[in-house]
Amino acid sequence: MKALKIPSVPHLVHIETTYACNKRCKFCYNPKRGLPFRKETIDKIVASVYGSWVPHVYLIGGEPSLLGVPQLNEYINLLSARSSVTVVTNGIITLEGLSDKLACIGVPIHGDEKTHNIHSETPGRYADTVASIKYYVAAGFDVRCIPVLTAWNFDQIYNIARLAKELGMESVFVDRFEDGGIGSANAEQLKPTIEQFKIALGQMIRARDELNIPMGFGTAIPYCLDERLVQENMSANCGVGITFAAIDPDGSVRICNQSQVIYGNVLTQPIEEIWKSDKIRDFRDLSWVTEPCKSCPVLHDCLCGCKVDCSCSDKYCVDYAVRNRAEPLHKVETLPKRGCVKEVFPREYRRIKMDPLAKLNEFHQEKYLITRYQTIEVSGLSLAVVRRALYLGIFSEADLVSDFSAKADAVEVRKFCSKLVSVGAAHMIGEKL
């Protein structure tokens, strides 16, 4: 069987800062809501993740706003020196004065006011969430809408995206309901059927095309669930065990927030050591995969959709939507098409400013350019150009071409500058010198 490529460290780590929460969401993956924030332990977890140079870190809960702005800023300011940092919050508490080193704030809108409140069981707090979003957008933050897709709101995804656009949110990334934690008690009510998923996906594609707002999934979806996932470049794989890990409030490392399988603890061992331990091979060898995924030609890209739910949280399994099926819902013979990075450039040389949150991670064997939302491996000439561009901060494209004239021609350097702009690592500040 083809071997999976495993990086030296997960590209994204969720730190569950607390299980305490001020909502009672029906779909909650949280195993319990009673565990309060324990500063001494989380301080050590954050320090360990900082020491491991993890490219992207999410501070989640429970509800991280319960930590308060000073505490969150302490973590954001430390981690952001080496990582892109996102806070995921329900929006009930408006976090005034958050550090400008924060890359993104994720806030959910689950539908219209009635539908949102039914999901979250917090009547009257929808307005608080919308007010928080308006505050964060006005303060200059990138704010991402992160609704949970359920059987109750599958036909409201377009309207959610339209509201997100009106509020000035950066994108909409939909998390399909997964059967885990407290939400397991409501799983039969909440799980979207395949037909409901198809309706939601159609609305996502329409919103992307009509509203010009980035749309995608934040959870893994089997590619065979709907042929449009591949055709419309809407496929998603969460990367658990490959590029993603979760750390609970005790420091335990799992491949997923909903998994009970623990591979180590960052309070006693760096996550990069845990990441290469023999124990995790029981997931990565894919021996647990069953049909219809086992014989799928794109298994190593799709990786079976969501691999953990309440019926297999102490092991792994193929996604509930395709589990126990003899045949896939749609045959997928080739990998999904990926968006092409634009390499075009104007005749005139440009002035370019590197994004203030872009950074280079050279701690691991792989060298990474870290943007707000991506981890991009760089080497050779690309690595050298990134180093120079970050050192300059603001630069003339002509000067950069001159700097590397002995190693590359102007076209190659200028195409790379266009790539930097396309992935959000840099921004053009003028068309001419």
Side-chain angles (χ1 to χ4, degrees):
M1 183 177 283
K2 177 182 174 183
L4 295 169
K5 181 182 178 182
I6 310 299
S8 300
V9 71
H11 291 174
L12 170 62
V13 165
H14 283 185
I15 299 177
E16 296 167 329
T17 57
T18 177
Y19 285 144
C21 191
N22 52 3
K23 269 192 175 184
R24 299 175 53 82
C25 296
K26 289 279 193 180
F27 51 75
C28 185
Y29 84 92
N30 191 340
K32 50 195 171 185
R33 290 195 179 106
L35 187 64
F37 169 60
R38 295 176 295 174
K39 176 174 168 50
E40 183 177 352
T41 302
I42 303 302
D43 282 355
K44 292 177 181 177
I45 292 170
V46 169
S48 178
V49 171
Y50 170 80
S52 292
W53 292 73
V54 173
H56 290 259
V57 180
Y58 280 28
L59 299 175
I60 68 169
E63 178 46 46
S65 66
L66 298 177
L67 276 61
V69 170
Q71 185 61 71
L72 284 172
N73 280 349
E74 180 181 320
Y75 296 151
I76 293 165
N77 290 335
L78 175 66
L79 291 166
S80 63
R82 298 175 176 178
S83 308
S84 174
V85 184
T86 292
V87 168
V88 177
T89 171
N90 58 37
I92 287 181
I93 297 173
T94 301
L95 296 166
E96 297 186 14
L98 278 176
S99 171
D100 60 5
K101 294 180 173 63
L102 187 63
C104 178
I105 304 174
V107 187
I109 301 173
H110 302 300
D112 58 29
E113 183 170 0
K114 179 181 177 181
T115 305
H116 180 90
N117 289 337
I118 289 173
H119 280 81
S120 61
E121 287 200 330
T122 50
R125 306 313 295 266
Y126 174 84
D128 295 330
T129 296
V130 172
S132 290
I133 293 169
K134 290 180 178 178
Y135 172 83
Y136 298 139
V137 171
F141 290 105
D142 273 16
V143 188
R144 174 170 288 179
C145 185
I146 47 172
V148 174
L149 168 61
T150 72
W152 298 348
N153 68 356
F154 68 93
D155 57 351
Q156 294 190 34
I157 302 301
Y158 183 90
N159 288 338
I160 291 171
R162 182 167 56 192
L163 176 59
K165 179 77 172 183
E166 291 171 355
L167 292 173
M169 302 180 84
E170 173 267 338
S171 61
V172 180
F173 274 72
V174 178
D175 293 339
R176 183 189 57 162
F177 169 74
E178 306 296 350
D179 190 354
I182 295 169
S184 297
N186 306 304
E188 294 311 308
Q189 303 173 53
L190 293 170
K191 278 184 182 178
T193 66
I194 291 173
E195 287 308 311
Q196 289 171 340
F197 174 83
K198 288 176 179 291
I199 291 171
L201 175 60
Q203 292 196 4
M204 290 174 66
I205 295 168
R206 180 180 160 220
R208 179 197 65 188
D209 295 343
E210 292 183 1
L211 303 176
N212 192 30
I213 185 169
M215 300 287 298
F217 288 101
T219 49
I221 308 292
Y223 295 175
C224 67
L225 209 57
D226 189 304
E227 57 194 354
R228 293 172 296 175
L229 289 165
V230 172
Q231 294 170 351
E232 296 286 344
N233 198 22
M234 295 289 283
S235 61
N237 183 358
C238 64
V240 298
I242 312 300
T243 57
F244 168 69
I247 303 174
D248 73 15
D250 294 317
S252 296
V253 175
R254 300 104 68 220
I255 66 164
C256 172
N257 305 83
Q258 296 188 162
S259 176
Q260 297 177 25
V261 183
I262 296 171
Y263 291 105
N265 192 297
V266 296
L267 299 180
T268 59
Q269 188 179 20
I271 195 168
E272 64 267 29
E273 292 184 10
I274 297 170
W275 208 237
K276 63 184 180 184
S277 67
D278 290 340
K279 288 177 64 177
I280 204 167
R281 286 182 182 173
D282 66 345
F283 170 75
R284 292 173 179 158
D285 67 12
L286 302 184
S287 59
W288 51 271
V289 177
T290 56
E291 297 296 355
C293 301
K294 190 172 184 178
S295 56
C296 178
V298 298
L299 167 62
H300 286 78
D301 194 63
C302 174
L303 286 174
C304 313
C306 182
K307 293 153 273 290
V308 178
D309 61 39
C310 73
S311 64
C312 61
S313 59
D314 61 344
K315 50 185 183 297
Y316 312 105
C317 54
V318 303
D319 192 283
Y320 69 78
V322 296
R323 194 181 308 158
N324 301 321
R325 295 183 64 91
E327 296 289 336
L329 291 157
H330 292 280
K331 293 202 175 192
V332 183
E333 300 296 337
T334 58
L335 298 180
K337 64 181 180 180
R338 303 298 184 188
C340 296
V341 175
K342 294 181 180 179
E343 295 182 347
V344 297
F345 50 86
R347 177 178 299 177
E348 301 86 359
Y349 281 103
R350 298 164 287 185
R351 284 190 64 80
I352 294 174
K353 178 180 180 180
M354 295 300 290
D355 189 272
L357 297 183
K359 52 185 66 71
L360 192 59
N361 180 335
E362 299 191 64
F363 182 79
H364 301 286
Q365 177 181 345
E366 308 91 352
K367 313 305 177 189
Y368 298 122
L369 169 62
I370 302 168
T371 72
R372 290 172 187 261
Y373 303 112
Q374 297 186 60
T375 301
I376 304 162
E377 189 171 343
V378 289
S379 60
L381 180 64
S382 296
L383 176 59
V385 174
V386 169
R387 282 191 190 124
R388 182 63 177 164
L390 286 170
Y391 173 77
L392 294 171
I394 298 176
F395 57 89
S396 156
E397 192 177 24
D399 290 343
L400 200 64
V401 167
S402 177
D403 289 343
F404 290 93
S405 59
K407 298 180 180 179
D409 61 31
V411 170
E412 188 176 2
V413 175
R414 298 195 72 195
K415 282 185 175 181
F416 188 75
C417 287
S418 292
K419 286 183 179 180
L420 291 177
V421 172
S422 293
V423 300
H427 311 279
M428 291 186 293
I429 57 174
E431 295 183 357
K432 296 183 179 181
L433 293 179

